[in-house]
Amino acid sequence: MQHQDDLAKYNQERWNAIVKAGSTYTRPYLEMTVDSAQEWVNNSQTLVKAGMLDVSGKDVLCLAGSGGQQTAVFGLLGANVTVLDLSDAQLANDQLAAEHLKIHIQIEHGDMRDLSRFKENSFDLVYQPYSINFVPDATKVIDEVSRVLRTGGIYNLDFGNPYWTMEETDWLAQGYPVKQPYISGGAHLYVNTEWDVEDEHGNWKKVEGPKEFLHTYSSILNSLIQNGFHLIHFEEYPKGDNDAEPGSWDHLCSIIPPFVTVGGRLQ
């Protein structure tokens, strides 16, 4: 692991604590099969629209996406998988999944903001689940991704809806208040910075979460465009249920879905 700044040290510590607590985000897909892995890929609209349902032989980087989940999917389908992540505890779950499923993956302990260990034009696909909001400057990450992707390569990026700065309990008769300024790189000022984590036995506990930052739509999309990406997919999720009880998770998500996926092809 190269030199870490204070943010990287803190977020690594927090993610390791979340792994220890048994969060669903950290549990490896030990029961994944080739068929269920292909179904997972078939449900990825970025990969569908990119025409990349067959990932066999593709060079795939799971960026800041460890935990033995996406690596298990792509590895079972015959991709050449590399995973880079800040959390050594998360990476241990990738190793666990690889050994259990008898697949080979390359494990790299590092910061998503620095991909200098990889040569230019190294990957056909960079798959990044929700993680770019754990750094204050998304453009640094997108610049690095464009360098390591091959021409025609696909980038699947998940990020937080920048308007989603509320919690279920914020419900008022008029709606849910947007509580933060619309600026990129601003710290996400949650009322409660503790995560509610459910372990594999159904027990809930509170764990202090990593530091998160807002990224505006313009900062993400303009960075992709300026780096030569042709946008092929855009989706906000989950959609929620507008008929659900106001002040519930499903109702909140029907007003402002908390997450966004954008897919781009490097020109």
Side-chain angles (χ1 to χ4, degrees):
M1 176 83 178
Q2 297 169 344
H3 173 74
Q4 289 181 297
D5 62 14
D6 289 341
L7 173 64
K9 291 176 182 177
Y10 181 83
N11 278 359
Q12 178 182 0
E13 175 187 289
R14 299 325 310 146
W15 269 107
N16 285 352
I18 291 168
V19 173
K20 185 177 180 180
S23 167
T24 54
Y25 305 122
T26 69
R27 299 178 204 165
Y29 290 164
L30 301 182
E31 304 306 316
M32 184 68 68
T33 66
V34 171
D35 287 343
S36 57
Q38 188 62 60
E39 182 179 359
W40 188 97
V41 167
N42 292 348
N43 287 328
S44 166
Q45 288 303 303
T46 291
L47 297 179
V48 169
K49 292 177 181 178
M52 196 181 279
L53 295 182
D54 182 3
V55 298
S56 178
K58 301 292 186 183
D59 295 315
V60 176
L61 173 61
C62 294
L63 180 57
S66 61
Q69 298 183 357
Q70 288 88 13
T71 54
V73 169
F74 293 122
L76 280 170
L77 295 178
N80 305 313
V81 180
T82 300
V83 57
L84 180 139
D85 201 276
L86 196 60
S87 168
D88 50 314
Q90 278 278 73
L91 291 171
N93 282 338
D94 288 286
Q95 184 63 43
L96 176 63
E99 292 174 356
H100 183 81
L101 298 171
K102 297 180 172 55
I103 58 176
H104 173 75
I105 61 174
Q106 179 179 337
I107 294 176
E108 298 284 346
H109 187 204
D111 191 315
M112 71 179 92
R113 297 170 289 181
D114 180 7
L115 304 184
S116 59
R117 71 188 69 195
F118 303 124
K119 295 180 181 179
E120 293 183 7
N121 310 314
S122 292
F123 299 102
D124 301 299
L125 169 65
V126 174
Y127 196 96
Q128 183 170 10
Y130 182 83
S131 59
I132 204 167
N133 289 88
F134 299 124
V135 296
D137 187 356
T139 61
K140 277 188 177 182
V141 180
I142 296 171
D143 289 349
E144 287 285 274
V145 169
S146 68
R147 185 184 66 81
V148 302
L149 261 180
R150 298 180 177 123
T151 299
I154 302 301
Y155 183 25
N156 183 98
L157 171 64
D158 285 19
F159 64 99
N161 187 329
Y163 293 108
W164 196 82
T165 60
M166 67 289 291
E167 301 175 58
E168 302 100 300
T169 53
D170 292 330
W171 168 255
L172 303 170
Q174 303 93 330
Y176 297 95
V178 177
K179 299 187 291 188
Q180 293 191 208
Y182 189 72
I183 55 173
S184 271
H188 214 317
L189 304 177
Y190 293 111
V191 174
N192 185 354
T193 59
E194 291 182 317
W195 288 19
D196 291 311
V197 174
E198 183 182 15
D199 67 20
E200 61 271 25
H201 304 297
N203 301 313
W204 288 88
K205 60 192 77 174
K206 290 187 179 293
V207 180
E208 186 71 22
K211 292 183 179 178
E212 295 184 66
F213 303 87
L214 294 173
H215 299 306
T216 63
Y217 282 113
S218 57
S219 66
I220 295 286
L221 297 179
N222 283 329
S223 184
L224 289 168
I225 292 167
Q226 290 161 10
N227 274 287
F229 285 97
H230 171 71
L231 303 185
I232 60 175
H233 178 61
F234 185 90
E235 178 182 3
E236 295 159 306
Y237 71 95
K239 302 300 183 184
D241 180 3
N242 196 238
D243 293 326
E245 182 71 23
S248 67
W249 171 257
D250 281 344
H251 187 263
L252 173 56
C253 291
S254 75
I255 304 299
I256 300 184
F259 304 111
V260 179
T261 295
V262 59
R265 187 190 301 274
L266 189 63
Q267 302 299 295

